[in-house]
Each structure stands twice: as C-alpha cells, then as structure tokens.
Amino acid sequence: MARRSVTVRKKKRAAPATGKGTPIGLRLEPATLARVDRWAASQKDGPSRLEAIRRLIELGLAVALPAGVRTARAAQAAEMASEEIDHLADPSATDEERQLRKRRLIKGPKEFQDLRRNRRKASNQR
C-alpha cells in the first residue's frame, strides 16, 4: 500500500471575493470611527464596521437631495413669502421696480448669494 500525502489548505481570513465593486481606502478620525461603531452596535443584526459604513453611505445617499431641488415645504414657503411681498409692495412703484425689489428680498443681494450657496447646513455641523 502506498501512502498518500495529506495536503492542508490554509483558511482564508477575508470574506470571499464577490468580484463586484471597487475597493477603496478610507481614513476616518477616531471620533467618527467611534460614532460608526456605536451606530453598528445599535443595529439589531450587529453589522461589521465595513458593513456599517456601507449602510450609512446608502442611508445618506437615499436622503440627499440633488443640488438645486427644493422640497415641497421650501417651495410652499417661497410661494407664501412671494404673496406677502406682493401684498406689502409699494403700489406707486412701476411693475419692473416691484419685481426687482421682490427678487432682492427673496434671493438676497448678488454679493451674498455665493456665500449662502457654499454655507454648510446647520444639521451637518456637529
């Protein structure tokens, strides 16, 4: 009888490759990483750190609005402001002057419009 040699396969430590997606490197501050870990721990299925980051990205993309798109509430507020400005407008001014004044009240001076567009939202400042 001949002896058979036994080959031992080493176990891979990483998850099996799916062949999908692009691997990226990510560097996070310790405080941010701690927040991700706390969020992952609060989930019922206790996802890994990597899975938690994937889910948080998907959640963020799901609620993000495309640039320049108004919500229904913002559009309603703008319409209400427009009607109130029309009501309070100076009747002796020309129609062109009233429109110019209304635009400046709603949009603000041109010098400040870029500042307003580039400003971070209050909910993002933590």
Side-chain angles (χ1 to χ4, degrees), residues 5-52:
S5 62
V6 178
T7 58
V8 179
R9 291 185 186 172
K10 289 189 176 185
K11 292 183 180 180
K12 293 183 180 180
R13 301 190 103 167
T18 62
K20 297 179 184 176
T22 304
I24 61 166
L26 178 66
R27 189 180 304 243
L28 296 175
E29 295 289 328
T32 304
L33 196 54
R35 289 177 63 196
V36 169
D37 290 339
R38 280 194 306 271
W39 183 88
S42 72
Q43 301 303 299
K44 290 182 180 180
D45 61 343
S48 67
R49 181 181 282 171
L50 189 57
E51 180 60 24

Coordinates of all heavy atoms in Angstrom, one line a residue, residues 5-52:
S5 N -0.1 11.5 0.6 CA 0.3 12.7 1.3 C -0.9 13.5 1.6 O -1.9 13.6 0.7 CB 1.3 13.5 0.5 OG 0.8 13.9 -0.7
V6 N -1.0 14.1 2.7 CA -2.1 14.9 3.1 C -1.7 16.4 2.9 O -0.7 16.8 3.4 CB -2.5 14.7 4.6 CG1 -3.6 15.6 5.0 CG2 -2.8 13.2 4.8
T7 N -2.6 17.1 2.1 CA -2.3 18.5 1.9 C -3.3 19.3 2.8 O -4.5 18.9 2.8 CB -2.5 18.9 0.4 OG1 -3.8 18.5 0.0 CG2 -1.5 18.2 -0.5
V8 N -2.8 20.2 3.4 CA -3.6 21.0 4.3 C -3.8 22.4 3.6 O -2.9 23.1 3.3 CB -3.0 21.2 5.7 CG1 -3.8 22.1 6.6 CG2 -2.7 19.9 6.3
R9 N -5.1 22.8 3.5 CA -5.4 24.1 2.9 C -5.5 25.1 4.0 O -6.2 24.8 5.0 CB -6.7 24.0 2.1 CG -6.7 23.2 0.9 CD -8.0 23.3 0.2 NE -8.0 22.4 -1.0 CZ -9.0 22.2 -1.7 NH1 -10.2 22.8 -1.4 NH2 -9.0 21.4 -2.7
K10 N -4.8 26.2 3.8 CA -4.9 27.3 4.8 C -6.3 28.0 4.6 O -6.7 28.3 3.5 CB -3.8 28.2 4.7 CG -2.5 27.6 5.1 CD -1.4 28.7 5.2 CE -0.1 28.2 5.8 NZ 0.9 29.2 5.9
K11 N -6.9 28.3 5.7 CA -8.1 29.0 5.6 C -7.9 30.5 5.3 O -6.9 31.1 5.9 CB -8.9 28.9 7.0 CG -9.4 27.5 7.2 CD -10.2 27.5 8.5 CE -10.7 26.1 8.8 NZ -11.5 26.1 10.1
K12 N -8.7 31.0 4.5 CA -8.6 32.5 4.2 C -9.3 33.2 5.3 O -10.4 32.8 5.7 CB -9.2 32.8 2.8 CG -8.4 32.2 1.7 CD -9.0 32.6 0.4 CE -8.2 32.0 -0.8 NZ -8.8 32.4 -2.1
R13 N -8.7 34.4 5.7 CA -9.3 35.2 6.7 C -10.3 36.2 6.2 O -11.2 36.6 6.9 CB -8.2 35.9 7.5 CG -7.2 34.9 8.1 CD -6.4 35.6 9.0 NE -6.8 35.3 10.4 CZ -6.2 35.6 11.5 NH1 -5.1 36.2 11.4 NH2 -6.7 35.3 12.6
A14 N -10.2 36.6 5.0 CA -11.1 37.6 4.5 C -12.4 37.0 3.9 O -12.4 35.8 3.7 CB -10.4 38.4 3.3
A15 N -13.4 37.8 3.7 CA -14.6 37.4 3.1 C -14.3 37.0 1.7 O -13.4 37.5 1.0 CB -15.6 38.5 3.2
P16 N -15.1 36.1 1.1 CA -14.8 35.7 -0.2 C -15.1 36.8 -1.2 O -16.0 37.7 -1.0 CB -15.8 34.5 -0.5 CG -16.8 34.6 0.6 CD -16.2 35.3 1.7
A17 N -14.2 36.9 -2.2 CA -14.3 38.0 -3.2 C -15.6 37.8 -4.0 O -15.9 36.7 -4.4 CB -13.1 38.0 -4.1
T18 N -16.3 38.9 -4.2 CA -17.5 38.8 -5.0 C -17.3 39.3 -6.4 O -18.1 39.0 -7.3 CB -18.6 39.8 -4.4 OG1 -18.1 41.1 -4.4 CG2 -19.0 39.4 -3.0
G19 N -16.2 40.0 -6.6 CA -15.9 40.5 -8.0 C -16.6 41.7 -8.3 O -16.6 42.2 -9.4
K20 N -17.4 42.2 -7.4 CA -18.2 43.4 -7.7 C -17.7 44.6 -6.9 O -17.2 44.4 -5.8 CB -19.7 43.1 -7.2 CG -20.4 42.0 -8.0 CD -21.8 41.8 -7.5 CE -22.4 40.7 -8.2 NZ -23.7 40.4 -7.7
G21 N -17.9 45.7 -7.4 CA -17.5 47.0 -6.7 C -16.0 47.3 -6.9 O -15.2 46.5 -7.3
T22 N -15.7 48.5 -6.4 CA -14.3 48.9 -6.4 C -13.8 49.1 -5.0 O -14.4 49.8 -4.2 CB -14.2 50.3 -7.2 OG1 -14.8 50.2 -8.5 CG2 -12.8 50.8 -7.3
P23 N -12.7 48.4 -4.7 CA -12.2 48.6 -3.3 C -11.6 50.0 -3.2 O -11.0 50.5 -4.1 CB -11.1 47.5 -3.2 CG -10.8 47.2 -4.6 CD -12.0 47.5 -5.4
I24 N -11.9 50.6 -2.0 CA -11.3 51.9 -1.7 C -10.7 51.9 -0.4 O -11.1 51.1 0.5 CB -12.4 53.0 -1.8 CG1 -13.5 52.8 -0.7 CG2 -13.0 53.1 -3.2 CD1 -14.4 54.0 -0.5
G25 N -9.8 52.8 -0.2 CA -9.2 53.0 1.2 C -9.9 54.2 1.8 O -10.2 55.2 1.2
L26 N -10.1 54.1 3.1 CA -10.8 55.2 3.8 C -10.1 55.5 5.1 O -9.8 54.5 5.9 CB -12.2 54.7 4.1 CG -13.1 55.7 4.8 CD1 -13.4 57.0 4.0 CD2 -14.5 55.0 5.1
R27 N -9.9 56.7 5.4 CA -9.2 57.1 6.6 C -10.3 58.0 7.4 O -10.8 58.9 6.9 CB -8.0 57.9 6.4 CG -7.1 58.2 7.5 CD -5.9 59.0 7.1 NE -5.2 58.3 6.1 CZ -4.0 57.9 6.2 NH1 -3.3 58.1 7.3 NH2 -3.4 57.3 5.2
L28 N -10.6 57.5 8.6 CA -11.5 58.3 9.5 C -10.9 58.7 10.8 O -10.0 58.1 11.3 CB -12.7 57.4 9.8 CG -13.6 56.9 8.6 CD1 -14.6 55.9 9.1 CD2 -14.2 58.0 7.9
E29 N -11.4 59.9 11.2 CA -10.9 60.4 12.5 C -11.4 59.4 13.6 O -12.5 58.8 13.5 CB -11.5 61.8 12.8 CG -11.0 62.8 11.8 CD -9.5 63.2 12.0 OE1 -9.1 63.1 13.2 OE2 -8.8 63.4 11.1
P30 N -10.7 59.3 14.7 CA -11.2 58.4 15.8 C -12.6 58.7 16.3 O -13.3 57.8 16.6 CB -10.1 58.6 16.9 CG -8.9 59.2 16.2 CD -9.4 59.9 15.0
A31 N -13.0 60.0 16.4 CA -14.3 60.3 16.9 C -15.4 59.8 15.9 O -16.4 59.3 16.3 CB -14.4 61.8 17.1
T32 N -15.1 60.0 14.6 CA -16.0 59.5 13.6 C -16.1 58.0 13.6 O -17.2 57.4 13.5 CB -15.6 60.0 12.2 OG1 -15.5 61.4 12.2 CG2 -16.6 59.6 11.1
L33 N -15.0 57.3 13.7 CA -15.0 55.9 13.7 C -15.8 55.4 15.0 O -16.5 54.4 14.9 CB -13.5 55.4 13.8 CG -13.3 53.9 13.4 CD1 -13.9 53.6 12.1 CD2 -11.8 53.6 13.4
A34 N -15.6 56.1 16.1 CA -16.4 55.7 17.3 C -17.9 55.8 17.1 O -18.7 55.0 17.5 CB -15.9 56.5 18.5
R35 N -18.3 56.9 16.3 CA -19.7 57.1 16.0 C -20.2 56.0 15.1 O -21.3 55.5 15.3 CB -19.9 58.4 15.4 CG -19.8 59.6 16.4 CD -19.9 60.9 15.8 NE -21.3 61.1 15.2 CZ -21.6 62.0 14.4 NH1 -20.7 62.9 13.9 NH2 -22.8 62.1 13.9
V36 N -19.4 55.5 14.1 CA -19.8 54.4 13.3 C -19.9 53.1 14.1 O -20.9 52.4 13.9 CB -18.7 54.2 12.1 CG1 -19.0 52.9 11.4 CG2 -18.7 55.4 11.2
D37 N -19.0 52.9 15.0 CA -19.1 51.7 15.8 C -20.3 51.7 16.7 O -20.9 50.7 16.9 CB -17.8 51.6 16.7 CG -16.6 51.2 15.8 OD1 -16.8 50.7 14.7 OD2 -15.4 51.5 16.3
R38 N -20.6 52.9 17.3 CA -21.8 53.0 18.2 C -23.1 52.7 17.3 O -24.0 52.0 17.8 CB -21.9 54.4 18.8 CG -21.0 54.5 20.0 CD -21.4 55.7 20.9 NE -21.4 57.0 20.1 CZ -20.3 57.8 19.9 NH1 -19.2 57.4 20.5 NH2 -20.4 58.9 19.2
W39 N -23.1 53.3 16.1 CA -24.3 53.0 15.2 C -24.4 51.6 14.9 O -25.5 51.0 15.0 CB -24.1 53.9 14.0 CG -25.3 53.7 13.1 CD1 -26.5 54.5 13.1 CD2 -25.5 52.8 12.0 NE1 -27.4 54.0 12.1 CE2 -26.8 53.0 11.4 CE3 -24.7 51.8 11.5 CZ2 -27.3 52.3 10.4 CZ3 -25.2 51.0 10.4 CH2 -26.5 51.3 9.9
A40 N -23.3 50.9 14.6 CA -23.3 49.5 14.3 C -23.8 48.7 15.5 O -24.6 47.7 15.3 CB -21.9 49.0 13.8
A41 N -23.3 49.0 16.7 CA -23.8 48.3 17.8 C -25.2 48.5 18.1 O -25.9 47.6 18.7 CB -22.9 48.8 19.0
S42 N -25.8 49.6 17.7 CA -27.2 49.8 17.9 C -28.1 49.1 17.0 O -29.3 49.0 17.2 CB -27.5 51.3 17.9 OG -27.5 51.8 16.5
Q43 N -27.6 48.5 15.9 CA -28.4 47.7 14.9 C -28.7 46.3 15.5 O -27.8 45.7 16.2 CB -27.6 47.7 13.6 CG -27.3 49.0 13.0 CD -28.6 49.8 12.8 OE1 -29.5 49.4 12.1 NE2 -28.6 51.0 13.4
K44 N -29.8 45.8 15.1 CA -30.2 44.5 15.7 C -29.3 43.4 15.2 O -29.0 42.5 16.0 CB -31.7 44.2 15.3 CG -32.7 45.1 16.0 CD -34.1 44.7 15.6 CE -35.1 45.6 16.3 NZ -36.4 45.3 16.0
D45 N -28.9 43.4 13.9 CA -28.0 42.4 13.4 C -26.5 42.6 13.7 O -25.7 41.7 13.3 CB -28.3 42.1 11.9 CG -28.0 43.4 11.1 OD1 -27.9 44.5 11.7 OD2 -27.8 43.2 9.9
G46 N -26.1 43.7 14.3 CA -24.7 43.9 14.7 C -23.8 43.8 13.5 O -22.9 42.9 13.5
P47 N -23.9 44.7 12.5 CA -23.1 44.5 11.3 C -21.6 44.8 11.6 O -21.3 45.5 12.6 CB -23.6 45.6 10.3 CG -24.2 46.6 11.2 CD -24.8 45.8 12.4
S48 N -20.7 44.3 10.8 CA -19.3 44.7 10.9 C -19.1 46.1 10.7 O -20.0 46.8 10.1 CB -18.5 43.8 10.0 OG -18.8 44.2 8.6
R49 N -17.9 46.6 11.0 CA -17.6 48.0 10.8 C -17.8 48.4 9.3 O -18.3 49.4 8.9 CB -16.2 48.3 11.2 CG -15.8 49.8 11.1 CD -14.4 50.0 11.5 NE -14.4 50.1 13.0 CZ -13.2 50.1 13.7 NH1 -12.1 50.0 13.1 NH2 -13.3 50.2 15.0
L50 N -17.2 47.5 8.4 CA -17.3 47.7 7.0 C -18.7 47.8 6.5 O -19.1 48.6 5.7 CB -16.5 46.7 6.2 CG -16.3 46.9 4.8 CD1 -15.6 48.2 4.5 CD2 -15.5 45.8 4.2
E51 N -19.5 46.8 6.9 CA -20.9 46.8 6.5 C -21.7 48.0 7.1 O -22.6 48.5 6.4 CB -21.6 45.5 7.0 CG -23.1 45.3 6.6 CD -23.3 45.3 5.1 OE1 -22.4 45.0 4.4 OE2 -24.5 45.7 4.8
A52 N -21.4 48.4 8.3 CA -22.0 49.6 8.8 C -21.7 50.8 8.0 O -22.6 51.7 7.7 CB -21.5 49.8 10.3

